[in-house]
């Protein structure tokens, strides 16, 4: 009898908690969201504010010591020619990589959603995801070998008598160089390769959400497939492209490993941050550099929203 | 139907097969110009497939479809002079209401001014004037349905196809829209081909109804023909409520084992012992239940083990007493109300 009473008692406590949560959905919400929100608030927003604060300090030119006083000296330094060149180089690369990713990802995503059989679709999904299972560093170094002067691409170009094409490509001023692995072209190829899955998946998701009946309705109203694509499918998949471009653009803006391994060793924002906070010991300038990707992405999202990119969501 | 009427859509022995199911099984029928033609049947009976065949989203495996005498074999949907009102309305979410309505005109490169005017007229016709700048997401279900209708009608198609357009609306709105759709159809004079599984809808709006079952047409006729003279047991059961009598009971009543149907509202109940009138058929039964339905009362009477439904209008304002249950009565109906089934 007594054990029965005890089990009923403990049963009662669990029930009491369950009932209390049922009656107070806000309490449940607070318990569910509290821990992650505290984590985000402190770790994420806190570090962002720390960065912002740091960027208003400056380095004393003679002693090399960080002066913890508000000043705009660091920003003045950020807007000098050499540093602006780094920013422009990174933004141009990020934009080029994003456009290339859309150009490659869209047809693949379109095929996956509108044409592929379910088996083919699963296979393509696997193909898109598979590279993400191996180390990013390994893949970048593999590309360095592929793109090297003695690498596979050069070898193939020789066999196919296309050396003139490769040389012509490398002879292009600014983006060319002695070999693919030491030019902007190489950096660009590797960036596109690494980020393209992050473009394919959101576009697939956006295209999946376009009901078949809308495409039929467009045809029914006299629209040829090409016009249906332009008037219906493309505008409705813009949110997917914007979502993908947020990935490809911001990941390229912040990456410091790829341009370090493949490219002509001219610095990108990420590399500048690494150098400033490491060897140079100029934490305020490193912090000021990191403001660029944040501001650029903020402006990009606001413009995208104004242009109605998310209206079809 | 008169021979002089011109034919809008003609099916010539059309079959469409999906795997093992015959969605359309050797269909041959005609829809006349300016007619409100309904395709009525349960889900999976092939009526929507027929609509998609006319719209061009499906191609027949066998047979031909003629629209105004022209074989439309291989003609893509965008080159057919028909428009569809989709079941889920299929409004373009990124366009305004006006943008949706003007879409077909824009594609046909109608000048902007005329486009505006015609879209305005179409919206007025469906009572949505002034809503042009809204997005579909800002409209109610009934309003979206009207936009879909305006979007199709603005193109002045030869034939308008409607795929259960009222299915998602609540009962009151649906009844109001039935009346409006019918008057709209009279007003524009366009051939309407209307797919529905709701027999009331088909009966109330149609000039003619085709009853579908398993990819075949069981019967084509006016609403009165379909209701009063169902050709098959399926039609009798699907369109309205019907008592289908067959076997031994049919043999006893009519001295023929051929099945017949009798509508519940055409059956009278008399006190036992009342002489059966000369033009009526009568038999003894026991009242099993009586359900009060407001305007009328529905009785279930057991006749020789078979349950017969009877509906009586509640003419007096006195309810049915409980003592009636189990009572033996004379169940009788007019001989002309019976419908022999094939």
């Amino acid at each position: 009898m007594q054990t029965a009473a005890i089990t009923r008692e403990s049963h009662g406590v669990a029930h009491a908690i369950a009932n209390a949560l049922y009656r107070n959905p806000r309490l449940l919400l607070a318990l569910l969201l509290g821990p992650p929100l505290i984590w985000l608030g402190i770790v994420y927003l806190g570090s962002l504010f720390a960065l912002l604060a740091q960027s208003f300090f400056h380095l004393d030119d003679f002693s090399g010591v960080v002066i913890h006083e508000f000043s705009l000296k660091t920003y003045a330094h950020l807007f000098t020619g050499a540093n602006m060149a780094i920013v422009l180089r990174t933004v141009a690369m990020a934009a080029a990589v994003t456009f290339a990713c859309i150009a490659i990802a869209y047809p693949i995503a379109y095929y996956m959603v509108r044409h592929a059989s379910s088996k083919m679709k699963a296979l393509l999904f696997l193909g898109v995801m598979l590279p993400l299972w191996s180390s990013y560093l390994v893949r970048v170094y593999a590309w360095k070998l592929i793109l090297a002067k003695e690498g596979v691409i050069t070898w193939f170009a020789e066999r196919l008598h296309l050396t003139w094409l490769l040389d012509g490509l490398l002879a292009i001023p600014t983006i060319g160089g002695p070999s693919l692995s030491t030019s902007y072209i190489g950096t660009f190829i590797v960036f596109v390769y690494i980020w393209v899955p992050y473009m394919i998946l959101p576009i697939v998701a956006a295209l999946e959400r376009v009901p078949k009946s809308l495409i039929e309705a467009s045809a029914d109203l006299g629209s040829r497939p090409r016009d249906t694509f332009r008037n219906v499918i493309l505008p409705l998949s813009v949110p997917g492209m914007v979502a993908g471009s947020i990935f490809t653009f911001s990941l390229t803006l912040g990456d410091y490993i790829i341009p370090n391994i493949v490219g002509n060793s001219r610095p990108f924002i990420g590399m500048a941050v690494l150098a400033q906070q490491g060897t140079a010991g100029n934490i305020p300038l490193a912090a000021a550099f990191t403001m660029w990707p944040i501001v650029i992405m903020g402006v990009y999202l606001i413009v995208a929203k104004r242009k109605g990119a998310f209206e079809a969501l | 139907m008169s021979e002089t009427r011109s034919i809008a859509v003609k099916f010539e022995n059309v079959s469409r097969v999906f795997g093992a199911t015959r969605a359309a099984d050797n269909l041959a029928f005609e829809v006349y110009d300016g007619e409100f033609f309904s395709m009525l049947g349960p889900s999976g009976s092939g009526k929507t497939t027929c609509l998609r065949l006319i719209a061009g989203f499906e191609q027949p495996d066998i047979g031909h479809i003629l629209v105004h005498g022209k074989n439309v074999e291989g003609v893509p949907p965008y080159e057919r002079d028909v428009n569809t009102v989709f079941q889920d309305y299929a409004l373009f979410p990124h366009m305004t209401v006006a943008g949706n309505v003007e879409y077909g005109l824009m594609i046909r490169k109608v000048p902007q001014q005329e486009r505006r005017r015609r879209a305005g007229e179409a919206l007025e016709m469906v009572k949505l004037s002034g809503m042009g700048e809204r997005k579909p997401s800002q409209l109610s279900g009934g309003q979206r349905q009207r936009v879909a209708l305006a979007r199709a009608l603005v193109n002045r198609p030869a034939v308008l196809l409607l795929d259960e357009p009222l299915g998602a609306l609540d009962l009151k709105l649906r009844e109001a829209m039935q009346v409006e759709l019918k008057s709209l159809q009279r007003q524009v004079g366009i051939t309407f081909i209307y797919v529905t599984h709701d027999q009331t809808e088909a009966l109330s709006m149609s000039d003619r109804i085709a009853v579908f079952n398993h990819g075949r047409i069981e019967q084509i006729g006016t609403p009165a023909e379909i209701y009063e003279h169902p050709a098959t047991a399926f039609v009798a059961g699907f369109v309205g409520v019907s008592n289908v009598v067959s076997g031994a009971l049919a043999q006893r009543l009519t001295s023929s084992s051929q099945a017949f149907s009798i509508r519940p509202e055409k059956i009278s109940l008399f006190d036992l012992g009342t002489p059966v009138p000369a033009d009526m058929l009568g038999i003894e039964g026991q009242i099993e239940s009586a359900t009060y339905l407001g305007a009328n009362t529905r009785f279930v009477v057991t006749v020789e083990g078979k349950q017969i439904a009877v509906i009586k209008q509640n003419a007096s304002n006195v309810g049915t007493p409980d003592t009636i249950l189990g009572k033996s009565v004379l169940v009788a109906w007019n001989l002309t109300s019976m419908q022999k089934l094939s």
Side-chain angles (χ1 to χ4, degrees), chain A residues 211-225 227-228 231-233 235-236 311-312, chain B residues 52 57 77-79 82-84 86 88 90-95 103-104 106-108 135 151 155:
Chain A
K212 202 171 159 234
S213 67
L214 287 191
I215 291 153
E216 287 186 345
S218 178
D220 190 74
L221 292 164
S223 204
R224 290 169 178 283
D227 292 328
T228 297
N231 294 322
V232 179
I233 301 173
L236 288 176
E311 272 173 31
Chain B
R52 295 175 61 83
F57 301 131
Y78 49 85
E79 282 173 8
V82 297
N83 284 122
T84 309
F86 289 82
D88 63 353
L91 300 179
F92 304 122
H94 58 299
M95 296 180 196
Y103 189 82
M106 181 197 81
I107 293 294
R108 289 190 175 84
K135 285 284 177 80
R151 183 176 71 173
N155 304 295

Side-chain angles (χ1 to χ4, degrees), chain A residues 257-289:
Chain A
I257 294 174
I258 292 170
N260 216 0
I261 298 172
V262 181
N264 57 16
S265 69
R266 289 206 183 86
F268 281 65
I269 288 178
M271 292 155 80
V273 171
L274 186 71
Q276 293 301 335
Q277 66 86 38
T279 46
N282 191 346
I283 300 237
L285 186 57
F289 261 117

Side-chain angles (χ1 to χ4, degrees), chain B residues 7-135:
Chain B
I7 292 164
V9 177
K10 184 173 185 168
F11 272 55
E12 286 181 344
N13 305 92
V14 171
S15 290
R16 177 76 178 110
V17 185
F18 296 111
T21 43
R22 285 183 166 271
D25 191 358
N26 201 22
L27 293 174
F29 64 92
E30 285 147 11
V31 180
Y32 301 108
D33 252 337
E35 189 177 34
F36 197 122
F37 186 86
S38 287
M39 301 204 261
L40 174 67
S43 57
S45 61
K47 56 197 194 305
T48 297
T49 301
C50 275
L51 208 68
R52 295 175 61 83
L53 283 164
I54 303 169
F57 301 131
E58 304 280 349
Q59 297 291 335
D61 294 312
I62 309 168
H64 304 289
I65 296 167
L66 300 140
V67 177
H68 281 147
K70 205 185 101 201
N71 188 348
V72 290
E73 192 172 325
V75 178
Y78 49 85
E79 282 173 8
R80 294 191 183 196
D81 191 14
V82 297
N83 284 122
T84 309
V85 176
F86 289 82
Q87 192 169 8
D88 63 353
Y89 314 144
L91 300 179
F92 304 122
H94 58 299
M95 296 180 196
T96 59
V97 166
N100 268 282
V101 176
E102 284 178 32
Y103 189 82
L105 302 176
M106 181 197 81
I107 293 294
R108 289 190 175 84
K109 302 202 166 59
V110 173
Q112 177 145 10
Q113 214 152 21
E114 194 191 337
R115 224 154 72 193
R116 281 278 143 77
R117 186 179 55 76
R118 279 172 67 178
E121 282 171 12
L123 283 173
E124 198 175 329
M125 199 157 61
V126 296
K127 296 173 187 149
L128 280 179
S129 298
M131 297 279 207
E133 291 315 303
R134 299 208 189 170
K135 285 284 177 80

